[in-house]
């Protein structure tokens, strides 16, 4: 279907299914507007002097890129005044960001990874923004505890990929849809409706350099893939690893595949690399809504009870049958 803008799509959804209250619709539009602004900044690259390190570190001790900081500020500023939010939380900030007193407050909580894959910025490879929307529990202060809800409570999740084109992927719990940014008009246009991930695949994504740190179930699974036609799987598999989760997940939504950032023994203090609240949960919601599956290896990602805002989890997601096979190896 062509020519339907994000605004029109959301309004149609609101009338058809009442799945979207009007304040949630407006919240999504504001997030989409911020994503457009981030896309413009990412697109300017070296011309605007936005590449390179910011010279600061985030709460997890990772060096921040200038664009990490810019994207974070764009999202904060865009979403502060709309009246839809009780608070925001981000990969780039230690604790929740309260809505300033001068602005009205709403019932939603917004979480985001402002620039996922930021180690790819300086080499001109796709990066993106991931976000998740929760409802603030009634009568509770919008503090860290309010954010610690299971992924299954998300009311909306999405991500944008800043690649050759800018694409916004969205779910409100009724399927997954993708919108491409029409740069001339400045609006997102519906380009893929009700995305379905093929159940089977011949493509996998994993950082092979971590192989020696993997646990036995993942070792076994990947060894079997690598054995190809002559191995137990009886077919050859291809590998892709962009190193930006947004790009790897978008590929899986488009043509199937499996993505693994499993638990490993590299750093015993970290049960995985990816963050639950603003990476794993929104991606798991989107993948499940597109007919795929998402697990930590031992359980559904959306059922993980969070204990910390910046908690990390193992992530295995994509084509349903492959994910089920790896889960089975975990016992
Ligand atoms: P990045 O740290 O560059 O933001 O969010 C974590 C992430 O990227 C994912 O987007 C990506 O899949 C992964 O880390 C890449 O990890 P490796 O460097 O280990 O490949």
């Amino acid at each position: 279907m062509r020519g339907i803008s994000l605004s029109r799509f959301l309004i149609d959804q609101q009338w058809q299914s009442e799945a979207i209250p009007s304040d949630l619709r407006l919240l999504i539009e504001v997030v989409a507007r911020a994503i457009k602004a981030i896309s413009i900044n990412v697109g300017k690259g070296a011309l605007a002097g936005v590449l390179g390190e910011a010279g600061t570190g985030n709460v997890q001790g990772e060096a921040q890129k200038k664009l990490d900081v810019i994207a974070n500020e764009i999202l904060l500023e865009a979403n502060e005044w709309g009246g839809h939010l009780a608070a925001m939380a981000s990969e780039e900030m230690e604790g929740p960001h309260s809505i300033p007193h001068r602005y009205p407050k709403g019932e939603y909580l917004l979480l985001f990874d402002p620039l996922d894959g930021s180690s790819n910025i300086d080499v001109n490879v796709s990066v993106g923004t991931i976000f998740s929307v929760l409802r603030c529990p009634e009568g509770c202060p919008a503090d860290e505890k309010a954010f610690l809800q299971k992924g299954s409570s998300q009311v909306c999740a999405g991500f944008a990929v800043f690649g050759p084109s800018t694409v916004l992927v969205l779910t409100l719990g009724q399927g997954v849809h993708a919108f491409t940014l029409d740069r001339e008009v400045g609006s997102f246009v519906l380009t893929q409706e009700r995305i379905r991930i093929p159940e089977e695949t011949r493509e996998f994504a994993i950082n092979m350099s971590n192989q020696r740190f993997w646990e036995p179930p993942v070792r076994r699974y990947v060894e079997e893939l690598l054995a190809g036609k002559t191995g137990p799987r009886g077919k050859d598999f291809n590998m892709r690893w962009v190193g930006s989760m947004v790009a790897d997940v978008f590929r899986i939504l488009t043509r199937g595949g499996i993505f693994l950032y499993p638990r490993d023994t590299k750093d015993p203090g970290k049960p995985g690399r990816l963050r639950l609240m603003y990476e794993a949960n929104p991606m798991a919601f989107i993948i499940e809504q597109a007919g795929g599956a998402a697990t930590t290896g031992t359980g559904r990602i959306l059922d993980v009870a969070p204990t910390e805002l910046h908690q990390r989890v193992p992530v295995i997601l994509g084509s349903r049958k492959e994910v089920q096979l790896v889960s089975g190896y975990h016992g």
Side-chain angles (χ1 to χ4, degrees):
M1 199 180 291
R2 299 207 159 262
I4 295 182
S5 68
L6 174 65
S7 304
R8 181 173 163 196
F9 174 86
L10 293 173
I11 288 172
D12 284 352
Q13 293 279 308
Q14 194 182 336
W15 296 135
Q16 276 167 24
S17 59
E18 292 177 9
I20 315 180
S22 56
D23 50 350
L24 178 59
R25 174 171 64 77
L26 290 169
L27 164 56
I28 296 167
E29 295 218 38
V30 175
V31 171
R33 214 178 305 139
I35 283 172
K36 263 184 253 175
I38 298 170
S39 168
I40 289 166
N41 276 277
V42 169
K44 283 181 185 159
L47 294 176
V50 291
L51 302 184
E53 308 281 330
T56 48
N58 66 13
V59 57
Q60 293 139 91
E62 295 160 340
Q64 286 175 309
K65 301 276 184 185
K66 284 184 197 161
L67 274 170
D68 280 324
V69 177
I70 294 169
N72 193 54
E73 275 165 15
I74 289 174
L75 280 158
L76 290 180
E77 279 168 18
N79 286 286
E80 267 183 343
W81 46 268
H84 322 302
L85 289 177
M88 290 178 255
S90 159
E91 179 185 6
E92 305 303 333
M93 303 182 301
E94 185 163 3
H97 176 92
S98 312
I99 301 302
H101 291 303
R102 60 184 181 281
Y103 299 128
K105 289 188 186 55
E107 58 169 316
Y108 293 105
L109 301 169
L110 175 67
L111 296 110
F112 45 83
D113 176 355
L115 212 59
D116 176 68
S118 52
S119 52
N120 273 331
I121 295 170
D122 298 344
V123 291
N124 206 19
V125 170
S126 298
V127 290
T129 298
I130 311 175
F131 68 94
S132 160
V133 181
L134 295 164
R135 230 178 234 110
C136 190
E138 224 169 288
C140 293
D143 55 10
E144 176 164 348
K145 217 171 133 215
F147 283 88
L148 301 182
Q149 303 178 38
K150 288 184 183 173
S152 52
S153 309
Q154 292 171 102
V155 292
C156 169
F159 70 90
V161 194
F162 310 123
S165 59
T166 288
V167 178
L168 173 66
V169 175
L170 192 69
T171 187
L172 287 135
Q174 294 190 343
V176 179
H177 315 285
F179 304 82
T180 303
L181 181 60
D182 181 334
R183 293 183 209 270
E184 282 152 34
V185 180
S187 75
F188 280 106
V189 178
L190 182 63
T191 41
Q192 283 167 276
E193 212 176 351
R194 303 205 175 281
I195 297 173
R196 299 302 291 173
I197 302 174
E199 285 202 352
E200 292 181 49
T201 181
R202 286 171 180 259
E203 205 161 62
F204 68 103
I206 193 164
N207 183 341
M208 287 295 294
S209 71
N210 292 326
Q211 189 168 16
R212 67 190 186 284
F213 303 112
W214 295 339
E215 293 182 331
V218 171
R219 257 172 211 268
R220 172 182 171 193
Y221 175 70
V222 175
E223 269 163 23
E224 289 180 2
L225 300 184
L226 295 175
K229 253 190 196 137
T230 52
R233 300 300 305 275
K235 58 180 182 181
D236 289 334
F237 282 80
N238 197 9
M239 199 196 89
R240 285 283 181 277
W241 183 251
V242 179
S244 289
M245 192 192 196
V246 284
D248 282 311
V249 170
F250 188 67
R251 184 188 60 253
I252 289 170
L253 286 170
T254 308
R255 65 181 191 209
I258 181 167
F259 171 98
L260 305 98
Y261 218 120
R263 182 188 302 276
D264 62 37
T265 56
K266 198 174 187 179
D267 179 348
K270 293 180 186 167
R273 174 174 167 96
L274 302 175
R275 272 52 61 112
L276 174 64
M277 301 301 296
Y278 39 81
E279 292 180 321
N281 272 344
M283 289 310 200
F285 189 21
I286 289 166
I287 290 286
E288 284 198 5
Q289 282 294 316
T295 175
T296 61
T298 51
R300 187 178 172 231
I301 289 176
L302 296 181
D303 288 337
V304 174
T307 52
E308 284 172 49
L309 198 52
H310 298 289
Q311 177 174 349
R312 296 176 192 257
V313 280
V315 172
I316 300 170
L317 54 78
S319 293
R320 175 168 291 278
K321 285 195 177 159
E322 290 301 315
V323 175
Q324 281 169 348
L325 186 63
V326 199
S327 300
Y329 290 174
H330 283 78

